[in-house]
């Protein structure tokens, strides 16, 4: 299924992401060009100062309930550190010390330091997306994201956002859909 070329995301004009690689991190563009669902992904240019979720949603009229965040988790057991992507709706927070830690079989799990997240993903902080993450990483997707319809996530750079069907995230390499991966924000 392809996306219509005239779709809007809130107050943003969106275009098929495959037509605008200039708005994507190189790893994201390369991934989309070979992914069977790449034609379903939209991209919209934004002010990079508005890339943080709350500011983005407020400025561009996109609901928090259709915005998702991808956080990089560093999971440790002994001297070994493994990384994972974790995708949750903006109305929730990942249960890093509970569900995520246990799922990754780690003694300790935490948000990866910014420098590590940027170096490991080759993406800009504030724009990290599950599309194009290193192929050996698990991508943990909260079931609410997978069932949300069209969701907005980072594009790998701060100057744009991408939108795609939530169920497409469940089809990413290494994706695992997990019930209650996230908890509602209080």
């Amino acid at each position: 299924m392809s996306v219509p070329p005239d779709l809007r995301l809130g107050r943003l004009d969106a275009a098929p992401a495959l037509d605008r690689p200039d708005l994507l991190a190189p790893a994201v563009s390369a991934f989309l060009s070979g992914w069977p669902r790449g034609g379903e992904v939209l991209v919209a240019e934004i002010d990079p100062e508005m890339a943080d979720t709350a500011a983005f949603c407020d400025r561009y009229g996109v609901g928090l309930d259709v915005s998702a965040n991808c956080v990089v988790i560093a999971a440790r057991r002994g001297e070994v550190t493994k990384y994972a992507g974790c995708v949750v709706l903006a109305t929730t927070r990942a249960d890093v010390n509970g569900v995520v830690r246990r799922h990754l079989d780690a003694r300790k799990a935490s948000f990866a330091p910014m420098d590590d997240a940027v170096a490991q993903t080759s993406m800009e902080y504030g724009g990290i997306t599950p599309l194009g993450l290193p192929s050996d990483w698990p991508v943990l997707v909260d079931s609410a994201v997978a069932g949300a319809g069209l969701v907005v996530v980072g594009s790998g750079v701060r100057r744009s956002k991408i939108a795609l069907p939530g169920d497409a995230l469940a089809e990413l390499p290494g994706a695992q859909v997990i019930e209650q991966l996230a908890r509602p924000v209080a």
Side-chain angles (χ1 to χ4, degrees):
M1 170 182 164
S2 294
V3 294
D6 60 348
L7 193 65
R8 290 186 56 85
L9 299 172
R11 292 186 285 275
L12 292 168
D13 292 320
L18 291 171
D19 293 347
R20 294 297 311 269
D22 59 304
L23 292 177
L24 306 170
V28 177
S29 180
F31 173 78
L32 287 177
S33 67
W35 190 41
R37 295 193 71 174
E40 298 176 55
V41 180
L42 298 169
V43 66
E45 189 168 10
I46 65 167
D47 177 345
E49 296 299 316
M50 297 289 133
D52 293 333
T53 304
F56 165 78
C57 290
D58 184 56
R59 170 85 176 262
Y60 297 108
V62 174
L64 288 169
D65 60 329
V66 297
S67 295
N69 291 315
C70 178
V71 295
V72 176
I73 304 297
R76 293 176 199 82
R77 179 169 282 285
E79 297 299 315
V80 177
T81 300
K82 296 179 186 174
Y83 293 93
C86 192
V87 187
V88 300
L89 290 175
T91 55
T92 65
R93 295 287 176 254
D95 183 3
V96 175
N97 290 310
V99 175
V100 174
R101 181 185 58 77
R102 285 189 302 274
H103 190 79
L104 296 174
D105 191 32
R107 299 285 278 156
K108 181 179 181 189
S110 60
F111 296 109
M114 178 178 67
D115 291 344
D116 289 354
V118 169
Q120 293 290 327
T121 63
S122 299
M123 298 180 199
E124 295 176 7
Y125 193 76
I128 293 175
T129 184
L131 289 80
L133 288 176
S135 61
D136 60 339
W137 285 20
V139 178
L140 310 181
V141 180
D142 187 71
S143 60
V145 175
L150 195 69
V151 294
V152 177
V153 296
S155 64
V157 294
R158 291 183 61 87
R159 69 182 181 278
S160 64
K161 294 284 186 179
I162 58 176
L164 72 164
D167 68 346
L169 293 170
E171 296 180 25
L172 291 172
Q176 301 166 41
V177 177
I178 300 172
E179 293 288 330
Q180 299 180 346
L181 178 66
R183 299 175 188 252
V185 174

